[in-house]
Amino acid sequence: MATGEAAAAAASPPELASFLAIGLDQRTAENALANRKVTANLTAVIAEAGVSGCDKSVGNLLYTVATKYPANALVHRPVVIQYIVSSKIKTPAQLDAALSFLSTLGPDPLDTAKFEETCGVGVVVSTEEIQSMVTDILKENMEAIVEQRYHINVGSLCRQVRKWHPWGDAKFIKEEIDKRLTEILGPKTEADNVKPVKKKKEKPAKVEEKKTAVAAPAPPSEEELNPYSIFPQPEENLKVHTEIFFSDGNIWRAHNRKDILEKHLKATGGKVMTRFPPEPNGYLHIGHAKAMFIDFGLAKERNGHCYLRFDDTNPEAEKKEYIDHIQEIVRWMGWEPYKVTYTSDYFQELYELAVCLIKKGLAYVDHQTPEEIKEYREKQMNSPWRDRPIEESLKLFEDMRHGLVAEGKATLRMKQDMQNDNKNMADLIAYRIKFTPHPHAGDKWFIYPSYDYAHCLVDSLENITHSLCTLEFDIRRPSYYWLLVSLDQYQPYVWEYSRLNISNNVMSKRKLNKLVTEKWVDGWDDPRLLTLAGLRRRGVSSTAINSFIRGMGITRSDNSLIRVERLEYHIREELNKVAPRAMVVLHPLKVVITNLDYGTIIDLDAKKWPDAPGDDASAYYKVPFSRTVYIEQSDFRVKDSKDYYGLAPGKTVLLRYAFPIKCTEVIYGDNSDNIIEIRAEYDPSKATKPKGVLHWVAEPSPGVNPLKVEIRLFEKLFLSENPVELEDWLGDLNPRSKEVIKGAYAVPSLATAALGDKFQFERLGYFAVDSDSTAEELVFNRTVTLRDSYGKAGPK
């Protein structure tokens, strides 16, 4: 070892010295030390190899095993290591072949003869054989060699030789090719030393380029066609799920044994079994829609089943209102549960498993307060009661179960690893005492399991094949599998996906609950919220929500903020296809058509759809045109301008589906800012062709006001894109997020609108009938505006 390396090793952790001793260079050793997983793996590999120092070539192979060994075949790792130490496997090519073979084999029994044949154990390739093959390969490529000289791709020539002699010495092959090229070509010339200029590809003509882009778009990936293709089949669940690292250097490799998996497959018939496990402590939001899309969607795509399981371990937070809402909204989203279950259905089994855990010496009754538990975790210190006798913990746990221990005086904790860097392995609480009757289980229990204890066990008891959750649970994965391994239970396949965060809103149930209970919003179904009830009330369909979720894909990417405009794009895309057109005037300005006789009513046809066929009466609705019509106040100006297409004195505009009108007089009220009426003349011949087109509503009969409706306009609930980052997030609420317009006028056809109906109010946006509507007055919520800034760039 170099003097500098020796000095560094002396002043560094013992692992670094161990890594340098097997021949790793300083940088590789330090990089290995910077990665906790690589450190643990390499330390274990060196220990399994039984070496304190070795040749660099052997050390590099051991490092490859530590970093690239297939997790599903860890049972065979000691065998591979012995092959390396004994020089039966001595080249990277042999090791690559071995690792590929074992990745396919998994934990199944190793066929030694087949393994050795696959990775060339005992095969000796002589220098003469290599030299002969180099001669043959160079002859095959002679034309290119003469043309390209020293610019020939030597790597390609080496690969052609190794194709015939994969176990030959790669270094010798390269040296032999270099030597022979020199013999053929002679010394390098100046031209040989000049880096060749890459020829630029000629660009096709622009017209052809456009044609190609239209005619041959990039084919969608398999994941885009089927987002569930990334998930394994149930029968493949033999691989190592995760490695659980302990502070003493021990590593548990969690995976199902064959007998356990076979028992599971027999129980399920080999079907995919998933679960959607909400806690019934609030209304579901759009993040839950993503969870449903993954949980229910995977089961549906694989012809399996998905449970709706209520995680009701906290009896104080559960409400029947929330349970009823969740069951109803799941079905509204288009999903049908296989069964509706509750964690409380398994309280007895969970209790019995806790007793088993205590008997194994892997759980204990603790008397620390929450503050003491927090302090001891921070200091990585064991509880004073951690090593109490098993019989003592069993007796105390039984007393807790029967209500003989006061609330807060004891908990049952799992005996995991208090010195672990992962705080989710720091002896998590399995049971707490609560003298609260359970809404579903009644008053039978005085102890209730924690989420960390119950979640993985109920997954196992229900034979869940794929336990899917958001990325914040990734650090809980070791604890999840620790418990299942400790109790010798079937282990589901766990996979985490990115959480859905949308701009200008909050998704935390705690924050949503605060907004609702403190009346910052009008309940859980306030249309400004991203709760599913709020989105539905606003007029958003489950189809649009699922389209939005599918468009994002199922990824483990970071929890980046998704702009709300992306959701609006999908909402608008659907409503444009399903929402018939109608006309509503929000802020009416009276216009009297002076050249139309009083009492005259002209029934006109207005299109429900832009491309309505002329011979289909159902594609049109009737709209009356009379002496008194109403336009938007914002569609009139006293002073005209070139860029203004509304009405102005002496100017003509077209009333949509009706006639051109020209302003002839303005009637003012008390002052010049108070316009109370416009006088105009219409052109019954439609000879004039004005640029401006206005929506309008007319009196259905002389002296009778048009249909009056209430309109509710919504803007973003928060001013900032990411209000959760703000300390005073409530101070970021948008004071103009809701506007109520009481005196809007609507065309008569809207009088029969009912809850669930959706419309495009021309020039205003898409609207839906609100649940506050009565027989006397209809209320419409604006779902989304007509403008589409996101769609210009295209959906992702």
Side-chain angles (χ1 to χ4, degrees), residues 362-578:
L362 295 174
Y364 61 97
V365 172
D366 187 36
H367 302 289
Q368 287 187 302
T369 65
E371 293 74 22
E372 289 171 334
I373 290 174
K374 181 180 179 183
E375 178 188 352
Y376 274 55
R377 279 179 173 159
E378 289 172 351
K379 295 179 179 179
Q380 295 186 320
M381 293 168 53
N382 290 344
S383 163
W385 289 278
R386 193 176 199 266
D387 296 318
R388 73 189 324 160
I390 288 174
E391 294 73 16
E392 195 174 299
S393 282
L394 285 171
K395 176 65 170 62
L396 283 167
F397 190 51
E398 182 71 11
D399 290 345
M400 290 165 60
R401 184 204 193 290
H402 290 105
L404 301 178
V405 181
E407 278 193 53
K409 295 299 182 181
T411 59
L412 181 71
R413 293 178 66 181
M414 296 177 268
K415 192 181 287 188
Q416 296 170 303
D417 184 9
M418 286 297 294
Q419 287 70 48
N420 203 301
D421 290 336
N422 184 345
K423 298 303 179 186
N424 287 280
M425 285 290 289
D427 289 11
L428 299 181
I429 291 173
Y431 273 88
R432 293 181 176 88
I433 301 169
K434 284 184 185 289
F435 292 162
T436 305
H438 193 281
H440 189 67
D443 57 3
K444 179 181 178 181
W445 297 93
F446 296 98
I447 54 173
Y448 293 100
S450 67
Y451 171 88
D452 291 298
Y453 175 77
H455 181 66
C456 59
L457 289 176
V458 178
D459 276 354
S460 183
L461 291 169
E462 289 188 338
N463 275 302
I464 299 304
T465 58
H466 299 74
S467 180
L468 310 171
C469 51
T470 48
L471 272 172
E472 66 263 32
F473 291 98
D474 180 59
I475 57 172
R476 294 186 177 185
R477 189 191 281 206
S479 174
Y480 181 103
Y481 283 118
W482 177 91
L483 188 52
L484 294 176
V485 172
S486 297
L487 290 168
D488 201 27
Q489 297 291 300
Y490 160 75
Q491 301 168 28
Y493 169 82
V494 171
W495 194 81
E496 299 89 3
Y497 52 87
S498 58
R499 182 176 180 146
L500 179 56
N501 297 303
I502 298 180
S503 67
N504 302 95
N505 222 303
V506 293
M507 307 275 272
S508 154
K509 272 193 178 180
R510 182 179 61 82
K511 286 183 167 61
L512 286 170
N513 190 63
K514 189 176 184 68
L515 289 173
V516 172
T517 55
E518 295 183 6
K519 301 191 183 304
W520 295 97
V521 293
D522 304 324
W524 286 100
D525 66 345
D526 188 304
R528 292 168 291 179
L529 295 176
L530 291 179
T531 58
L532 295 177
L535 287 166
R536 176 171 61 178
R537 185 173 180 183
R538 186 160 177 159
V540 180
S541 71
S542 59
T543 306
I545 296 171
N546 283 326
S547 173
F548 164 66
I549 300 295
R550 187 181 187 95
M552 289 186 299
I554 305 172
T555 65
R556 281 179 58 87
S557 60
D558 63 359
N559 299 326
S560 57
L561 197 66
I562 305 297
R563 290 181 61 83
V564 70
E565 288 81 5
R566 184 168 178 175
L567 170 62
E568 290 175 348
Y569 168 84
H570 288 273
I571 297 169
R572 197 177 284 110
E573 280 288 287
E574 189 203 7
L575 288 174
N576 187 49
K577 299 171 186 174
V578 302

Side-chain angles (χ1 to χ4, degrees), residues 92 107 164 292 358 417 466 514 613 659 723 744 763 765:
W164 294 97
M292 281 186 257
I358 297 171
D417 184 9
H466 299 74
K514 189 176 184 68
F659 306 96
R763 299 179 66 218

Side-chain angles (χ1 to χ4, degrees), residues 776-793:
E776 290 74 32
E777 185 178 50
L778 285 167
V779 178
F780 291 92
N781 294 323
R782 183 160 67 185
T783 309
V784 67
T785 60
L786 294 176
R787 67 180 182 274
D788 181 9
S789 58
Y790 175 78
K792 291 176 182 176

Side-chain angles (χ1 to χ4, degrees), residues 70-113:
N72 63 320
L74 285 166
V75 65
H76 303 303
R77 190 170 75 176
V79 176
V80 176
I81 291 172
Q82 288 311 309
Y83 270 83
I84 293 171
V85 173
S86 62
S87 295
K88 290 182 178 179
I89 291 178
K90 48 192 174 183
T91 68
Q94 284 183 293
L95 183 56
D96 287 345
L99 298 185
S100 176
F101 177 89
L102 292 169
S103 177
T104 303
L105 178 68
D108 290 347
L110 180 66
D111 184 332
T112 303

Side-chain angles (χ1 to χ4, degrees), residues 175-233:
E175 290 173 348
E176 183 66 18
I177 290 174
D178 286 341
K179 185 181 79 171
R180 299 289 290 278
L181 286 175
T182 302
E183 292 173 357
I184 295 168
L185 300 173
K188 286 187 177 181
T189 65
E190 287 187 17
D192 291 326
N193 292 319
V194 175
K195 191 174 181 180
V197 179
K198 290 184 179 180
K199 293 181 180 180
K200 293 184 178 180
K201 292 182 179 179
E202 292 184 10
K203 292 184 178 180
K206 288 185 177 180
V207 175
E208 293 177 358
E209 205 171 70
K210 288 182 179 178
K211 284 181 180 178
T212 304
V214 173
S221 66
E222 182 183 358
E223 190 174 332
E224 287 174 323
L225 293 171
N226 178 11
Y228 307 107
S229 61
I230 60 176
F231 297 114
Q233 295 293 347

